[in-house]
Amino acid sequence: MLHVVGVGICEGHITERAAKIIGAAEIVFGSKKAIELASKYISGEVVEMKKFCGEVYREIEKISSKKNVVVLSTGDPMVAGLGSKIDGVVESGISSVQLALAKLREDLCNCVVVDAHSRDASGDFDLIEKRNLLILADRNFDPKVFGSRKVAIIENICGKERFKICLAEEAEVKSDYAIVYVWK
Ligand code: SAH
């Protein structure tokens, strides 16, 4: 059995359903951060994932044919997470996207979500002509490409949070865990 379980972003985001699934697992895989968030619910063996690639995912799938395995995914597994990469049953979690929208009081249906975390997303930027953009960003992302539009920068939600609303040309991303919201 293989579950890919969302553990949320902040302490306390794990649902009762997720806690039950995590507690029943014989082996729990996850990043350091995901394991920390789920630690009080884990009773099986813990394996910290250091590499995130197809080879590792296939190996985990193989192990799950004999054991009850959980792979933890920070936030929600279906938001730039492991849910589309590992062949398991997905248990939803609370995403950084939801937390940012709540902070901004913006509805998800009013924007397009773009993944610019460790990837070049410049091909999607012209969507701003039609829709607001919610960008999953790291420190390599430069908001200045959006010129005089209004942006919100939200970094390290739940940690040493930084929240700023300003013009894109005055904005910068300082953390690898940032949401940039751009109004069209
Ligand atoms: N599955 C995760 C996203 C993983 S991709 C989720 O549902 O949230 C990593 C991106 O998520 C980061 O580039 C950032 O955009 C966002 N993110 C993750 N943790 C964050 C945090 N604590 N504060 C702000 N953004 C965060």
Side-chain angles (χ1 to χ4, degrees):
M1 187 70 198
L2 177 52
H3 281 95
V4 183
V5 178
V7 296
I9 299 290
C10 310
E11 193 72 46
H13 275 170
I14 293 178
T15 64
E16 279 183 38
R17 290 171 57 104
K20 233 186 210 167
I21 296 166
I22 293 165
E26 292 169 274
I27 310 182
V28 176
F29 291 89
S31 65
K32 188 164 180 269
K33 165 103 193 284
I35 291 167
E36 265 168 31
L37 286 169
S39 61
K40 67 177 172 200
Y41 302 109
I42 300 175
S43 56
E45 184 189 340
V46 178
V47 181
E48 186 183 325
M49 290 169 77
K50 299 225 162 110
K51 276 196 191 161
F52 293 83
C53 61
E55 206 181 315
V56 171
Y57 304 152
R58 302 296 85 76
E59 185 59 32
I60 292 173
E61 287 162 0
K62 222 157 118 197
I63 295 168
S64 74
S65 64
K66 298 205 177 85
K67 298 215 163 175
N68 185 358
V69 173
V70 158
V71 180
L72 306 171
S73 187
T74 51
D76 181 75
M78 303 316 299
V79 179
L82 296 173
S84 58
K85 301 189 176 104
I86 296 179
D87 188 13
V89 178
V90 174
E91 185 62 34
S92 301
I94 296 175
S95 174
S96 57
V97 168
Q98 291 164 286
L99 300 181
L101 291 170
K103 193 164 266 299
L104 296 166
R105 301 204 52 237
E106 286 287 344
D107 196 293
L108 177 62
C109 302
N110 287 335
C111 68
V112 173
V113 177
V114 171
D115 180 14
H117 181 90
S118 311
R119 90 183 256 281
D120 173 20
S122 52
D124 292 334
F125 295 166
D126 54 358
L127 292 169
I128 194 65
E129 300 301 331
K130 291 200 163 160
R131 304 289 300 276
N132 298 342
L133 298 185
L134 185 152
I135 302 168
L136 300 172
D138 58 26
R139 71 183 77 215
N140 293 319
F141 176 76
D142 188 358
K144 295 183 178 58
V145 293
F146 295 106
S148 58
R149 289 189 162 90
K150 184 174 89 163
V151 297
I153 311 281
I154 308 170
E155 294 177 342
N156 298 324
I157 300 172
C158 312
K160 282 188 186 153
E161 185 177 301
R162 182 173 160 255
F163 176 64
K164 198 176 170 193
I165 293 183
C166 59
L167 299 181
E169 57 209 9
E170 290 163 1
E172 58 178 334
V173 174
K174 295 179 180 167
S175 157
D176 286 329
Y177 293 93
I179 302 279
V180 177
Y181 193 91
V182 192
W183 283 269
K184 82 172 163 75

